[in-house]
Amino acid sequence: NQYRHRHNHSSMGVTKEIIKAGDGPKPSTGQKVMCHYTGTLASNGQVFDSSHKRNRPFQFKVGVGQVIQGWDEGVGDMQVGEKALLKITSDYGYGHRGAGGVIPPNADLNFEVELLDIVEE
C-alpha cells in the first residue's frame, strides 16, 4: 500500500502516533487482541465511541476484516502495552456510508487505542 506513510492532505490510510511505547509482542494476522479505545471525529473532536465508557475492553481478530481497515493495519502494527493515536482516513474507516448515525459519510477518524493483550484461544 503505497499511500500508507505519506503525510500530505491527499494521503489515504492510517498513520500511527505512539503515545506510550509497548514492550510486548506484535499480534499476528488472525490472533485475537484485547484493547481499549476512544474514537473521535477528526473534524471536530467529538467522541462517537469508547470502550472505556462500557468498562469492557474490545476484542477482535487482527487482519481478517472484522474491523475497519485502519484498525486491521494500525493495531496490527502495535505492540502489547502500547498506546497510540491512529489517524484513519475515511477510505480506511467507514467511507461514504458512514456508520450508525454517529459517523457522517467520508469522515476521517482518530482512535486512541491501547493494546492490552493478545488473547490465546
Side-chain angles (χ1 to χ4, degrees), residues 13-28:
V14 54
T15 53
K16 183 180 80 162
E17 295 174 9
I18 295 175
I19 297 167
K20 177 175 79 81
D23 55 9
K26 283 187 178 182
S28 305

Side-chain angles (χ1 to χ4, degrees), residues 18-74:
I18 295 175
I19 297 167
K20 177 175 79 81
D23 55 9
K26 283 187 178 182
S28 305
T29 298
Q31 281 190 305
K32 185 181 274 189
V33 295
M34 182 185 301
C35 49
H36 261 310
Y37 69 91
T38 298
T40 57
L41 301 176
S43 60
N44 62 9
Q46 181 181 340
V47 173
F48 59 81
D49 192 18
S50 174
S51 63
H52 295 282
K53 286 185 182 154
R54 292 187 291 276
N55 270 325
R56 196 170 74 239
F58 177 63
Q59 296 188 19
F60 74 99
K61 287 185 180 175
V62 172
V64 296
Q66 290 185 352
V67 291
I68 57 174
Q69 190 173 356
W71 268 63
D72 268 344
E73 289 198 14

Side-chain angles (χ1 to χ4, degrees), residues 16-22 36 52 78-86 111-115:
K16 183 180 80 162
E17 295 174 9
I18 295 175
I19 297 167
K20 177 175 79 81
H36 261 310
H52 295 282
M78 293 175 68
Q79 289 178 269
V80 170
E82 182 178 317
K83 184 183 250 186
L85 179 64
L86 301 181
F111 286 93
E112 188 177 291
V113 179
E114 183 173 12
L115 181 53

Side-chain angles (χ1 to χ4, degrees), residues 41 46 48 94 97-105:
L41 301 176
Q46 181 181 340
F48 59 81
Y94 294 95
R97 294 184 317 275
V102 291
I103 299 172

